[in-house]
Amino acid sequence: MSQVKNFQQVREAEQIWLSERRKQAQVDPVLPEIGLAFSGGGIRSACFHLGFLQALIERKKLQRVDYLSTVSGGGYIGACLQWLKHRASSSANDDLFAQPVNDSTVLNWLRAHGKYLVDGKGINNMTLLAALLASTLFNLAVVLPLLLLCVWLFGFPHTQLYWPPHWHLPGADVIEGHSGYLLALLISAGSFISFLIAVPLMALWRQGRTQHNFKPRLWMGRLLNIGVIAGLIGLLPIAAQLSDMLFALAGSESLSQIGKHLNYLLPFIGGVLTISRATFKPGLALAGLTLMLYGLAAFAYHLVFHTGLIAQPGYWAFLALAIALLMLASVNRTSMHSYYLSRLCNAFFMCTKADDNHGQDLALATLTPATGAPLPLINTTMSTASSSNRLWRERMGLSFTLSPLFCGAPPTGFASTSAFQSGRLTLGESMTTSGAAVDPGTAQTANGALSFLMALLNFRLGFWTKAPRAADTFFSHMPYWLIMREMFGFGLSESHNNIHLSDGGHFENLGVYELIRRELSIIVAGDAGADPSVNFSDLGLLIQRAYADFDCHIAINTAQLSEVTDGIHASCFAVGNITYSSGKTGKLYYVKSLLTAAAGTQLASFAYTDPSFPNDSTANQFYDEEHFDAYRALGKLNMLSLLEQHEADIFPEPLN
């Protein structure tokens, strides 16, 4: 069964897998299914949830967990657990983190790799910078020749339309050629005139009508949009005359030379300054990004029409190379995704035998219930920015799950993991994709200008793959031209054979969503998201989406978690009731990374040292030993606090 469309078939296969897992872990088959969820949050979340696992191992309860659903940073330590269980000599509930590795222990290995992006022999900040620059320069080498060609072709180089004599800057000559840009100005003018004509026509058309029809207004909005965009493009030849105007006004050759560059420097610098002042002002940030993009467009125009670049034979050789790379290079291996993958595997896939090398990986489909480990659900977000479904398009993503059994989502269907990506999908690749936080075209980077710039500079960690329906396709190469879809926001939906995956937190950051889909009776969720204001935004989103998508009601009181005195909270956990649409009920045990009165000297001291603790920015992925242990200790303490009061409820004993 390589492909299935019905989620129920996936659930049935999972229950068979879990039944075998319980046999190996010696868990009574009649006990309720238990799901454990680790939230996103980078290395902060990995450390916090390592403490969760240590608490469960200490209480000998880890073997009772059936599902481990992870997002982003929570997936780092979740994948590490799967790696260790896969390599363990038995399925016993041993303390995996106390195992020996390189004359020390697994825990010390992890402790030493908190700066996972830059750790390792010969690897430092310059290595990271070099990787960033290499991915950016490669992308510019491929994309820029094509963009310059478009700028040249848009001028319709072999046609001649005459510009009106007065359409130029003072002191500059009448523009000749550039017919495409003149056409863009005419389209812009026509759009604005059509809009003005539509205003009275709309008023007359609405007279006496009782039914609502929004299409005329929709087209009026499109007319304005076309007018603005076409106008900005069409003005490029006029803006390029700034040097001629300055020379005519001042008679200075030096000012004229400077003016050749002002047409792109002014909007670009203006955009940068606008963005720098746009804190918490989305409208201002949008204006700044638009100015930056216009500056880049003006720079491309300058290169094409002022430097004679297109006429050089070297350009055409470069263009031919770019087209070849566009077809032959892999879009997944030329971004920071590859670097991110190697660093994560190096840090979290340590080897426990002296003759092995760390940083290896394993096929996700090779994880079996024989280890007794929980069934991993590694959560990613599939981009739906151009979906025909209005709700999915507005969300800009769908939950897309990777597991040893199946990969997929109900709208795309599911493919067996042994067939998905031709069976080449690895545990490390899954962990890395789930943590691909920096990516264009997500709910967090929804602005078109921002997505274009991110894709242009190759600031992206997402992963392209065949959709489950096309998993058996012989040709599985992900060509580099797919980056154009990210750059311009098209071809990103559930209906395409090539789909784009990114951080699971772009859809739901707690990792509970897929456990709700499976209607589990007991869910324990850790929340290590940065939330200095304690507004429970991730929990609130989960509650909303559980109701919207599954008609599932979650009732939970977090009042005690909000009670805080001098940084000490009244509680770090809350218990909620789940009512599923089927009539089944369940419990949600929600544990948050909060300091409570139970915190010992280590945590209290570290909180004084680091005022941001326990909400250090996710931008900080470089944890020293103190940071690592502070979050690990907090996770263990908070999980033990929950177990002290609710262990018998979460892990009920079988009835005799």
Side-chain angles (χ1 to χ4, degrees):
M1 185 169 57
S2 62
Q3 297 180 36
V4 299
K5 294 182 179 180
N6 192 333
F7 171 73
Q8 189 56 38
Q9 294 174 277
V10 174
R11 181 74 166 112
E12 289 168 0
E14 289 178 353
Q15 287 175 322
I16 294 172
W17 199 96
L18 293 175
S19 177
E20 180 60 28
R21 185 208 76 81
R22 286 192 169 195
K23 288 180 184 178
Q24 298 296 329
Q26 299 180 351
V27 176
D28 193 313
V30 302
L31 291 173
E33 289 181 336
I34 299 173
L36 184 61
F38 291 170
S39 78
I43 190 66
R44 179 186 64 246
S45 177
C47 297
F48 182 77
H49 291 110
L50 169 58
F52 266 43
L53 292 174
Q54 287 186 299
L56 290 170
I57 290 172
E58 185 177 294
R59 293 295 184 95
K60 301 188 183 302
K61 298 299 181 185
L62 182 57
Q63 73 271 27
R64 293 283 302 275
V65 177
D66 294 294
Y67 283 98
L68 178 56
S69 179
T70 60
V71 174
S72 195
Y76 301 173
I77 199 63
C80 179
L81 173 68
Q82 297 293 338
W83 170 265
L84 292 171
K85 292 290 284 185
H86 180 79
R87 299 177 66 85
S89 57
S90 72
S91 59
N93 189 38
D94 300 324
D95 187 350
L96 297 168
F97 302 104
Q99 291 185 69
V101 54
N102 290 0
D103 300 321
S104 187
T105 64
V106 169
L107 179 58
N108 277 337
W109 173 277
L110 293 170
R111 189 178 275 130
H113 287 74
K115 300 177 182 180
Y116 66 94
L117 286 174
V118 293
D119 66 14
K121 188 175 181 180
I123 299 173
N124 51 36
N125 290 334
M126 290 305 293
T127 311
L128 175 60
L129 178 60
L132 284 167
L133 284 175
S135 63
T136 297
L137 291 175
F138 178 85
N139 193 63
L140 292 176
V142 175
V143 174
L144 277 183
L146 295 168
L147 292 179
L148 293 177
L149 180 66
C150 291
V151 170
W152 180 65
L153 291 176
F154 196 79
F156 296 169
H158 301 297
T159 61
Q160 290 292 329
L161 291 178
Y162 294 98
W163 285 65
H166 54 284
W167 284 19
H168 59 82
L169 292 180
D173 295 331
V174 175
I175 299 171
E176 296 181 359
H178 305 286
S179 305
Y181 296 93
L182 174 59
L183 185 60
L185 277 180
L186 294 175
I187 291 173
S188 175
S191 297
F192 286 125
I193 292 171
S194 298
F195 175 81
L196 293 175
I197 293 173
V199 172
L201 291 179
M202 169 68 79
L204 294 173
W205 180 79
R206 290 294 302 160
Q207 290 290 341
R209 290 187 176 269
T210 57
Q211 293 184 340
H212 299 287
N213 188 337
F214 199 76
K215 284 187 177 180
R217 291 184 177 88
L218 179 65
W219 280 104
M220 289 177 72
R222 288 175 178 172
L223 286 172
L224 285 180
N225 196 40
I226 292 170
V228 171
I229 294 174
L232 289 173
I233 294 173
L235 286 172
L236 284 173
I238 297 176
Q241 293 184 324
L242 193 58
S243 59
D244 297 331
M245 185 182 74
L246 289 175
F247 181 75
L249 292 175
S252 170
E253 186 67 31
S254 58
L255 279 179
S256 175
Q257 292 301 315
I258 294 172
K260 289 182 178 179
H261 305 283
L262 287 180
N263 66 309
Y264 61 84
L265 285 177
L266 285 177
F268 190 83
I269 294 172
V272 171
L273 292 175
T274 302
I275 291 173
S276 68
R277 300 172 183 271
T279 307
F280 304 116
K281 297 177 181 177
L284 200 58
L286 174 60
L289 286 168
T290 303
L291 281 172
M292 285 181 65
L293 273 184
Y294 194 72
L296 290 174
F299 180 64
Y301 182 92
H302 170 77
L303 289 177
V304 170
F305 294 109
H306 286 173
T307 67
L309 179 66
I310 294 292
Q312 303 300 318
Y315 165 78
W316 293 97
F318 201 12
L319 177 64
L321 176 62
I323 293 173
L325 290 173
L326 205 67
M327 301 301 296
L328 300 177
S330 168
V331 71
N332 290 327
R333 303 304 176 202
T334 47
S335 71
M336 282 299 294
H337 180 98
S338 183
Y339 180 91
Y340 187 32
L341 167 63
S342 66
R343 292 297 84 210
L344 284 175
C345 289
N346 174 75
F348 292 96
F349 293 172
M350 71 296 296
C351 289
T352 54
K353 298 178 182 178
D355 59 344
D356 282 338
N357 294 317
H358 63 270
Q360 297 175 347
D361 204 347
L362 57 91
L364 183 61
T366 61
L367 296 180
T368 70
T371 65
L375 175 62
L377 301 177
I378 303 172
N379 298 287
T380 72
T381 300
M382 182 186 68
S383 179
T384 55
S386 55
S387 172
S388 59
N389 183 296
R390 176 67 178 270
L391 179 61
W392 298 345
R393 188 171 66 251
E394 289 296 316
R395 290 179 174 180
M396 302 195 72
L398 285 171
S399 175
F400 191 98
T401 310
L402 311 174
S403 86
L405 292 173
F406 287 96
C407 298
T412 64
F414 297 83
S416 67
T417 307
S418 58
F420 189 71
Q421 275 290 98
S422 301
R424 292 180 287 105
L425 182 68
T426 67
L427 178 63
E429 194 80 82
S430 304
M431 163 183 64
T432 304
T433 304
S434 178
V438 180
D439 213 47
T442 69
Q444 288 70 26
T445 56
N447 179 271
L450 177 59
S451 289
F452 181 90
L453 285 173
M454 290 178 69
L456 179 65
L457 299 176
N458 217 358
F459 288 168
R460 37 184 289 281
L461 292 172
F463 187 75
W464 281 91
T465 183
K466 291 291 181 185
R469 74 176 70 86
D472 293 331
T473 303
F474 175 76
F475 189 68
S476 59
H477 172 62
M478 292 290 109
Y480 202 80
W481 58 260
L482 288 171
I483 198 173
M484 297 296 181
R485 294 191 185 182
E486 297 180 64
M487 191 174 292
F488 296 103
F490 70 91
L492 300 169
S493 78
E494 71 290 349
S495 62
H496 288 80
N497 282 341
N498 294 326
I499 58 173
H500 183 68
L501 306 178
S502 66
D503 195 305
H506 294 153
F507 179 81
E508 193 274 304
N509 198 46
L510 292 182
V512 177
Y513 183 87
E514 288 298 330
L515 300 178
I516 293 291
R517 188 194 299 278
R518 287 155 175 80
E519 297 194 344
L520 296 195
S521 300
I522 299 171
I523 299 174
V524 181
D527 183 359
D531 186 14
S533 301
V534 196
N535 58 24
F536 307 103
S537 57
D538 288 338
L539 179 61
L541 180 63
L542 166 69
I543 293 172
Q544 184 274 323
R545 293 213 160 149
Y547 176 70
D549 295 353
F550 305 123
D551 193 21
C552 170
H553 298 260
I554 301 174
I556 186 168
N557 187 347
T558 57
Q560 277 195 306
L561 281 68
S562 300
E563 293 178 17
V564 57
T565 304
D566 297 329
I568 301 300
H569 293 257
S571 179
C572 62
F573 66 85
V575 182
N577 295 312
I578 307 172
T579 305
Y580 296 107
S581 61
S582 64
K584 290 178 61 177
T585 60
K587 289 283 187 181
L588 172 63
Y589 297 88
Y590 171 76
V591 186
K592 193 166 176 63
S593 54
L594 300 173
L595 280 170
T596 65
T601 303
Q602 175 200 353
L603 293 178
S605 173
F606 187 79
Y608 282 113
T609 305
D610 178 11
S612 299
F613 178 76
N615 289 288
D616 286 276
S617 170
T618 309
N620 178 13
Q621 294 294 295
F622 308 91
Y623 275 22
D624 57 20
E625 183 179 344
E626 283 189 284
H627 264 90
F628 179 95
D629 265 333
Y631 280 99
R632 179 197 59 78
L634 180 64
K636 184 175 181 180
L637 175 68
N638 288 5
M639 174 55 91
L640 288 174
S641 296
L642 172 68
L643 294 178
E644 283 173 9
Q645 294 188 37
H646 296 283
E647 182 173 328
D649 300 322
I650 300 172
F651 303 104
E653 294 300 324
L655 297 175
N656 293 325

